[in-house]
Amino acid sequence: MLLSMFAIVSCDYTGYETGDGEYSNLRAEYADITVKQGKVVSIVTDNDENLVVPSSFAYSEKKDTTVRRLLYYNYYDATQPIQVVGQKSVNMTIPLMWEGQENAKTDPLTVSAVWMSANKRYLNMQLGIMVGSTESEAAQSIVLRCDSVSTHNKGAIWLTLCHDQGNIPQYYTRELLFSVSTKLLPDTIHLKANTYSGQQTRLLIK
C-alpha cells in the first residue's frame, strides 16, 4: 500500500456567516470542483450530486485541476445554476509511513469533527490549532501517520494525527479542514489524536 505525503498547515478561505432572508436556500457541503483553463466545468458534492455551475464561477488556476472546497451556496432546483456565497479551502493529504515519522511530535490540537463522506470517497476532518494572532500564517505542521495496517477480513489501518506546534504562541484558534482519499485505505480506520482534552481515538468504517 503506497501511503506517502506531508501536509503543511495552510488554509485560505472566504468565510460566511449564515442567516435568514435571502439566504434561506443556503447549503454548506464539501465538493470536488473541476477547473479547466480557469473555468469551473463541474461541481460534485460528497453526496455525488452534480450541481449546475454558474457562468461567473471561475478560478485563477493555470492548469487543469480539481480543487476541494467546503462550498456555501444557494440551491434552488436541479436545473438552475447554484449561487456561490462563500468557500473554504480543504487541505488534501494521505498518510505517511511510520518509518521516518516515528519521532513526529504530537502536540495537542482540537478535533472538532471527523466523519466519512456520504459517498465513502473521503475521510473528512475539521481541526483547530492555536496561533499567536488572528492574522498570522502559523508555521506549524500536521502529519497523518500510518502506525500499522492489517489485512485481516477487509483490512484495517491505524493512523495518528501528528502535530508540531512549532513554538507558536497559543492565543487564538484557527480552523483547518482536511480530507483524505479513502481509495487506498482499508475498510476500517482507527484515527488517534492528542487533543487538549487528552488522547482520543475515532473509529470509521467505509
Side-chain angles (χ1 to χ4, degrees), residues 140-152:
Q140 303 183 43
S141 65
I142 292 178
V143 171
L144 186 62
R145 184 181 68 194
C146 173
D147 295 330
S148 62
V149 178
S150 171
T151 57
H152 182 65

Side-chain angles (χ1 to χ4, degrees), residues 104-109 161-167 194-196:
K105 291 185 177 181
T106 54
D107 295 332
L109 45 64
L161 271 171
C162 300
H163 171 229
D164 186 348
Q165 180 69 26
N167 296 317
N194 181 27
T195 76
Y196 289 99

